[in-house]
Amino acid sequence: MKPTTYLSNLTPLRGIAALLTVVFHVDLMLGAGMGSLLRHADSSFINRLYLMVDFFFVLSGFVMLHVYGKLFADGVSLDSFRQFTVARFARVYPLHLVMLVFTIAMFAVASAFGIPSDPIVQVENDIFSVFTNLFLLQSMNLHTWFTWVHASWSISTEWWMYMLFPFLVVPFSRLRTPARVLVAGLCFLGYVVIILWIVPIVTIPPEIPFVRLDPAQLSINVAYQYGFLRCLFGFVLGMALYKGFEENWGKSWLGNGYILGLAAMGLFICLHFGVPDVFTVMCYPFILLSAAYGSPRINRLFSTKPLQKIGDWSFSIYLIHEPIMFMIGKINTYFQPVGPGTPAAGPPQPPGMLQSWLICLVFIALVVFLSSLTYHGVEVPARSWINPARRVKS
């Protein structure tokens, strides 16, 4: 099989999306849901950055069909399925396992030092959730909240989408253009189903009723329950986009930096005004196709070493930032305990905007540095050991 071309322009997009996810979680940590980096009353931009995960899903479907489409072009055989499964396991599981073990150990040490549990972070952390995380089942409606490495819920949904993907390749290849457009439209309809019917039935632990998602926000932000549906719609949308990419859909007008800039601006506007998420996701096809087609200016920008490195480290950035955040929270609680026997100073106040951004930038720098270490120290060697035949970055 002819080696697949590496679409290097897509690598920086992964890194940017990962960093924006970090910003979203830093804002949650500092602002207690009200916004510290940017007041939610002034702008919904940061508050809606959970949608970066949906960009990952769309991008994943696009890249999987690009990299592995030829492997399953004639159907799914035992050998091709084994080859694909080993490759994806080598890509996602080693770091997932390392961060799961790290998080469990960190919480155990914190408990030994008498640091109280945080219900928002730890309410569903138990032996059963260790099992579900080990088998990547933590987002398959078995829990009422996030567990251990919270961000790994999307790794769970992606894994099971990988298991479905090989069986979609041949049916997709047989679809004509109108049918592919219809499939893409059905994906957006699926997002509407999530907004109107799925979000209202997602359950929340009784210990933290104040974090319930407001259906009035018209959000697709389901994760530990029904997260697979969210992944499915994004992934299949990405596959449909890739078939269009193969056929040069709109290349004459999408393949330039102006359209990419306009699509990015449209995404910013949608996030800023908090429009229904289904409309925000509509910006992703334009961003993805414009970047994939490329142009001299786009290619020069996206080929710069910093952007390529951030993209390479994006999986580490995504998976390690919350455990590091949890650890910092535990250390802070140890040195500034709150509860019986401590001075009554009232509830902690979120830092000001300037201080919050300084904290955020320092934290991002720390995460990027540690991600470079886990990429070279965990991801690459584990991938090479488990899957020495890997030829294409994905």
Side-chain angles (χ1 to χ4, degrees):
M1 185 173 64
K2 184 180 178 181
T4 303
T5 304
Y6 179 56
L7 299 176
S8 61
N9 279 357
L10 303 185
T11 299
L13 298 183
R14 290 203 308 258
I16 293 168
L19 290 177
L20 289 175
T21 302
V22 176
V23 171
F24 171 69
H25 286 136
V26 170
D27 187 64
L28 282 179
M29 177 185 71
L30 296 178
M34 299 300 294
S36 184
L37 298 172
L38 188 62
R39 286 194 338 130
H40 297 171
D42 298 331
S43 172
S44 293
F45 176 77
I46 292 179
N47 190 37
R48 296 271 179 159
L49 286 179
Y50 56 79
L51 287 170
M52 292 301 103
V53 174
D54 300 281
F55 182 76
F56 284 134
F57 292 153
V58 177
L59 180 61
S60 184
F62 189 97
V63 171
M64 287 301 100
L65 197 52
H66 175 68
V67 176
Y68 296 105
K70 295 183 181 68
L71 183 64
F72 301 109
D74 298 321
V76 183
S77 66
L78 182 61
D79 182 64
S80 63
F81 189 78
R82 179 199 60 79
Q83 181 180 338
F84 172 74
T85 302
V86 170
R88 299 323 298 163
F89 181 88
R91 178 69 177 90
V92 304
Y93 198 82
L95 186 63
H96 163 70
L97 179 61
V98 167
M99 296 318 300
L100 174 62
V101 172
F102 170 83
T103 304
I104 293 171
M106 182 266 294
F107 283 144
V109 170
S111 179
F113 275 85
I115 302 174
S117 296
D118 181 341
I120 295 180
V121 173
Q122 296 175 256
V123 67
E124 284 264 321
N125 289 353
D126 53 26
I127 296 298
F128 177 64
S129 61
V130 171
F131 171 86
T132 59
N133 276 261
L134 284 172
F135 290 91
L136 293 172
L137 295 167
Q138 66 269 35
S139 188
M140 305 303 284
N141 287 42
L142 298 175
H143 296 290
T144 59
W145 190 241
F146 299 96
T147 58
W148 302 108
V149 184
H150 289 196
S152 70
W153 75 267
S154 66
I155 310 304
S156 165
T157 62
E158 284 250 19
W159 175 257
W160 296 109
M161 198 62 227
Y162 293 156
M163 296 300 98
L164 179 61
F165 164 75
F167 304 96
L168 298 178
V169 173
V170 170
F172 246 84
S173 67
R174 293 173 178 168
L175 296 178
R176 296 185 180 275
T177 297
R180 293 170 192 159
V181 173
L182 176 61
V183 167
L186 290 174
C187 291
F188 287 109
L189 182 61
Y191 288 132
V192 174
V193 170
I194 291 177
I195 290 171
L196 298 181
W197 287 284
I198 301 298
V199 167
I201 63 175
V202 171
T203 60
I204 301 290
E207 295 89 343
I208 50 173
F210 48 87
V211 299
R212 178 174 294 277
L213 186 64
D214 182 4
Q217 292 183 349
L218 302 179
S219 166
I220 62 172
N221 192 20
V222 293
Y224 54 90
Q225 291 174 354
Y226 305 100
F228 181 75
L229 289 178
R230 184 177 169 190
C231 178
L232 172 67
F233 301 140
F235 194 100
V236 172
L237 175 60
M239 292 180 67
L241 288 175
Y242 181 74
K243 299 307 292 187
F245 171 76
E246 278 191 318
E247 297 172 1
N248 293 323
W249 286 359
K251 184 176 183 179
S252 61
W253 62 276
L254 282 171
N256 65 80
Y258 298 108
I259 296 299
L260 181 59
L262 286 173
M265 181 60 67
L267 176 63
F268 172 81
I269 291 171
C270 289
L271 293 170
H272 171 73
F273 288 104
V275 303
D277 287 351
V278 64
F279 296 115
T280 306
V281 176
M282 287 181 182
C283 297
Y284 292 160
F286 299 99
I287 293 173
L288 188 52
L289 286 175
S290 185
Y293 288 139
S295 70
R297 291 180 179 178
I298 294 174
N299 298 345
R300 280 197 301 271
L301 174 63
F302 284 174
S303 65
T304 56
K305 189 173 181 179
L307 285 179
Q308 287 292 317
K309 288 295 184 184
I310 291 296
D312 288 340
W313 302 338
S314 60
F315 187 62
S316 279
I317 291 171
Y318 181 74
L319 265 190
I320 78 167
H321 78 276
E322 280 191 313
I324 300 303
M325 188 179 294
F326 297 159
M327 184 175 70
I328 292 172
K330 290 296 184 183
I331 294 172
N332 183 64
T333 301
Y334 180 76
F335 287 105
Q336 300 184 41
V338 177
T342 60
Q349 296 298 313
M353 185 177 294
L354 177 60
Q355 185 181 357
S356 295
W357 275 107
L358 290 174
I359 293 171
C360 182
L361 294 174
V362 170
F363 182 73
I364 286 175
L366 173 64
V367 167
V368 169
F369 170 71
L370 294 176
S371 296
S372 70
L373 300 182
T374 54
Y375 175 76
H376 292 290
V378 178
E379 287 192 66
V380 173
R383 217 181 308 171
S384 299
W385 179 63
I386 296 171
N387 185 36
R390 183 182 68 92
R391 296 178 181 175
V392 180
K393 293 173 73 174
S394 59

